[in-house]
Amino acid sequence: MRTALPHDAQADAAGRSSGPAPGPVTAAPGRWARLPWGPMARLTGRRLLAAVPVLAVVTFGLFALAAASPFDPVKQYAGDAALRADGKTLDQLRENLGVDAHFAEQWWRWLTSALGGDLGQSSTLRQPVAQVITERIGWSVLLCALAFVLAVVVGTLLGVAAGRRQGGLLDRCVTSAAYLLQAAPPFWLGLLAVWLFALQLGVLPAGGLTDTGSDTVTAGSLLTHLALPVAVLALAQTPWFILYVRQGVGDALHEDPVRGARARGLKERTVLFGHALRSGLLPVLTLMGSRVPELITGALLVETVFSWPGIASATVRAATASDFPLLAALTVLATGAVLLGNLLADLLYGLADPRVALEEM
C-alpha cells in the first residue's frame, strides 16, 4: 500500500529529482600533491647552475696550489729511483705525466678530459682515477651514512632530554659532555677507541675491513670492523646536534603553541615530541647541511686511523704523494657533496616551515 506524501514533501522530492545530477566526488589532494614541486625544482636548478662556476674555481685553485707547492710529483712518482736518475730522465718522465706545462694548461687539459669521462691515471695507486673512486666510494658512503644517522638520532634524544629541564642535573651532565667531545679531535677519539676496545678489551678489531689472514668480506666481519669507525665518527658529530636540539627545544617550550597544548591537557610526551621537538628541529635542518664538510674531514681522519678502504684514505695518499689527477677528482666529489648537503638542508627547511619561501633561497 502506497502512502501519499504531504504537498510540501512532494514538492521537495520533485525538486530533488528534477535538479541536476550530483557530480562525481573529488578526493582531496594528497600530501604529495600539496608539496611545492615547482619552487623545489627551480631552487634545484639554480643551485646546479651555481655549482658549475664553483667547481671550476675550486679545481683551478687546486692546480694553482699544486704549481706553487714545493713537492715535485715526478720525484714522488719515481720514489728512490729519482735520486739516481739524471735530469734528462726526469724531464722525460715529467713530460709523460703531463706536468711540464703551465698549471692553467694542465687544468684545462684535465677539465676537458674529465668532461669527456676520462679522469686520468692515479700515479700512487697505478690505477685509473675512475676505478679508484668506484672501488672505494661505496665504503665511504656506508661509513658516513651510518655515522650521520647515529649522530642525528643520539644527538636528538640527548638534546631533548637536556632541553626539557634546562639547568637541571641531566642538562648539566649532557651539556658538559657535549662540550668536551666537541673539543676532542676525531683522530684522538679513534686512537683512544683502538687502545680501549682493541688492545685492552680485545672485543673489536683495530682496523681494516676483513679479519687477519682473510680477504673475504662477510656480514659478520663487516659489522665488527665497522663498529669502531662508525661509533667514533658519530661521536665526533653528536655534540653539535645535542647543543642545537637542546637550545631549540628549550626555546620552544616557552612558546605559546606549546603552552596551549599543555593547557588542553595533552600528555607531556605529546607536548615534548609533537610540538616542542618539531619547532626545535628547524635549526637542526640547517645544521645538517653545514655539517657535511666537518663530516668529510672527520671521515678522512677516521678512515686513516682505522685503515678503512674508503675515499678519504685515498685522499690522504693523493695529497702526500702529489697525485693531482686523483686529488682533483676527489676535491670535486667533496665539493659536490657539500653543495648537495646544503641544497637538501634548504629543501627540508622549506618543507618543514611553510613560512620559508623557496624562491628567495
Side-chain angles (χ1 to χ4, degrees), residues 14-15 29 33 38 48 51 55 71 90 95 119 122 127 155 262 269 278 301 318 325 360:
L48 290 177
L55 293 175
F71 299 102
L90 294 178
E95 181 180 354
L119 298 178
S122 172
Q127 290 178 323
R262 283 176 170 172
R269 179 180 300 179
R278 289 180 60 183
L301 298 174
E360 299 178 359

Side-chain angles (χ1 to χ4, degrees), residues 113-161:
S113 299
L115 292 177
D118 183 13
L119 298 178
Q121 188 82 9
S122 172
S123 59
T124 57
L125 301 176
R126 303 296 197 273
Q127 290 178 323
V129 173
Q131 182 179 351
V132 174
I133 294 176
T134 303
E135 292 176 353
R136 294 171 175 264
I137 193 171
W139 300 117
S140 291
V141 170
L142 177 64
L143 173 64
C144 292
L146 292 178
F148 194 74
V149 171
L150 182 61
V152 171
V153 173
V154 174
T156 300
L157 293 178
L158 292 178
V160 170

Side-chain angles (χ1 to χ4, degrees), residues 29-47:
R31 182 180 181 89
W32 291 102
R34 295 195 299 268
L35 292 178
W37 295 109
M40 291 170 60
R42 287 189 289 272
L43 175 61
T44 304
R46 292 196 304 271
R47 294 295 178 86

Side-chain angles (χ1 to χ4, degrees), residues 32-345:
W32 291 102
R34 295 195 299 268
L35 292 178
W37 295 109
M40 291 170 60
R42 287 189 289 272
L43 175 61
T44 304
R46 292 196 304 271
R47 294 295 178 86
L48 290 177
L49 290 177
V52 174
V54 171
L55 293 175
V57 170
V58 168
T59 54
F60 184 82
L62 177 65
F63 277 86
L65 291 176
S69 172
F71 299 102
D72 189 354
V74 174
K75 293 182 179 180
Q76 295 285 342
Y77 177 81
D80 295 336
L83 300 176
R84 301 184 298 270
D86 55 6
K88 184 177 180 180
T89 303
L90 294 178
D91 292 338
Q92 182 63 42
L93 184 58
R94 188 172 287 105
E95 181 180 354
N96 294 338
L97 293 177
V99 296
D100 57 334
H102 190 265
F103 77 89
E105 182 180 349
Q106 296 181 43
W107 170 75
W108 181 252
R109 187 189 308 156
W110 175 85
L111 183 62
T112 53
S113 299
L115 292 177
D118 183 13
L119 298 178
Q121 188 82 9
S122 172
S123 59
T124 57
L125 301 176
R126 303 296 197 273
Q127 290 178 323
V129 173
Q131 182 179 351
V132 174
I133 294 176
T134 303
E135 292 176 353
R136 294 171 175 264
I137 193 171
W139 300 117
S140 291
V141 170
L142 177 64
L143 173 64
C144 292
L146 292 178
F148 194 74
V149 171
L150 182 61
V152 171
V153 173
V154 174
T156 300
L157 293 178
L158 292 178
V160 170
R164 182 181 180 183
R165 290 185 177 89
Q166 292 188 359
L169 178 61
L170 180 61
D171 178 32
R172 292 197 298 268
C173 293
V174 171
T175 305
S176 300
Y179 281 120
L180 182 63
L181 289 176
Q182 187 178 355
F187 74 88
W188 183 81
L189 295 175
L191 294 175
L192 182 62
V194 170
W195 173 81
L196 178 60
F197 294 100
L199 300 180
Q200 298 298 320
L201 301 179
V203 294
L204 291 173
L209 186 59
T210 58
D211 297 328
T212 304
S214 175
D215 295 332
T216 304
V217 180
T218 61
S221 65
L222 178 60
L223 290 177
T224 56
H225 286 79
L226 194 61
L228 280 184
V230 168
V232 170
L233 186 57
L235 198 61
Q237 303 298 317
T238 302
W240 299 92
F241 293 103
I242 292 177
L243 298 176
Y244 268 74
V245 172
R246 171 192 174 274
Q247 187 64 40
V249 170
D251 294 340
L253 288 175
H254 299 287
E255 294 178 353
D256 292 338
V258 176
R259 293 176 177 175
R262 283 176 170 172
R264 292 195 301 270
L266 297 179
K267 295 182 179 180
E268 184 65 20
R269 179 180 300 179
T270 304
V271 173
L272 189 61
F273 289 96
H275 294 78
L277 182 59
R278 289 180 60 183
S279 178
L281 279 181
L282 291 179
V284 179
L285 296 178
T286 304
L287 179 66
M288 289 182 180
S290 63
R291 296 307 300 168
V292 173
E294 182 70 21
L295 181 67
I296 295 174
T297 305
L300 187 148
L301 298 174
V302 169
E303 287 188 8
T304 303
V305 171
F306 291 99
S307 300
W308 188 256
I311 287 292
S313 58
T315 305
V316 175
R317 296 185 60 178
T320 56
S322 302
D323 189 353
F324 295 116
L326 178 57
L327 193 58
L330 296 178
T331 303
V332 170
L333 278 180
T335 307
V338 172
L339 296 176
L340 180 61
N342 289 326
L343 172 62
L344 292 178

